[in-house]
Amino acid sequence: MSSIGRRIDALREEVRGISGPTASASGREQIAFTPHPGQQEFLASDAQRRVLVCHRRFGKDVACVLDLWARAQRWRKDRRRRKLVPAVSIGIVYPSHDLASEFWRLLLRVIPGYEVERKIESFPRRLELRGDVAIEIRSGQDPGRLVAAGYDLVIFGEAGELAEEAWL
């Protein structure tokens, strides 16, 4: 088995419910996911920065949510000992509230309900998970509000549509 195959198998093990549809503790159906070769390359990469430039139906958001969830599970085990508050902080930035809302709904389908300790529906949306993990979804409409967030991981969705100030 290739290193990509081993990484995908490990990812499947880490992220419960992605090998077939199941019901989470909240009663929501989780998504079934078998990554295609392009997603496999992305999920297998440990690069500090990764950019997905691909067609509309590639599954970028699904791959990002699953990668986010797997990393959060790994990191919270390592970082709890370092007394960071929160132990893991993840930011997701989309150019508009509408696009951010789509990612939010996907995120809620992937993360099991029993993991969620607190859910804030208003913007910036926030999930606080067991093990001191915080996931925050923001709009890039006001780039000044993105300053000094201190995230361990940031996902920029539809990055080409973000204002230039969001990158500075």
Side-chain angles (χ1 to χ4, degrees), residues 113-128:
Y114 61 84
E115 288 283 346
V116 178
E117 290 185 343
R118 185 171 178 219
K119 178 170 55 170
I120 300 172
E121 293 278 349
S122 60
F123 276 92
R125 289 183 167 165
R126 184 178 173 94
L127 279 180
E128 294 176 5

Side-chain angles (χ1 to χ4, degrees), residues 27-74:
R28 293 186 306 250
E29 183 179 320
Q30 295 177 358
I31 62 170
F33 180 72
T34 301
H36 61 67
Q39 291 168 322
Q40 288 177 8
E41 184 178 349
F42 169 77
L43 293 168
S45 174
D46 285 328
Q48 183 176 2
R49 292 179 182 88
R50 296 175 292 165
V51 177
L52 287 169
V53 180
C54 33
H55 61 83
R56 187 172 187 178
R57 303 291 297 166
F58 181 86
K60 299 178 289 288
D61 285 351
V62 172
C64 286
V65 166
L66 293 171
D67 185 61
L68 168 159
W69 178 231
R71 286 173 187 263
Q73 289 182 329
R74 266 195 319 271

Side-chain angles (χ1 to χ4, degrees), residues 1-28:
M1 180 182 283
S2 70
S3 64
I4 290 176
R6 284 190 296 278
R7 173 94 166 111
I8 295 303
D9 286 346
L11 181 68
R12 279 193 184 119
E13 187 64 32
E14 289 176 33
V15 183
R16 295 181 207 144
I18 66 172
S19 60
T22 61
S24 68
S26 68
R28 293 186 306 250

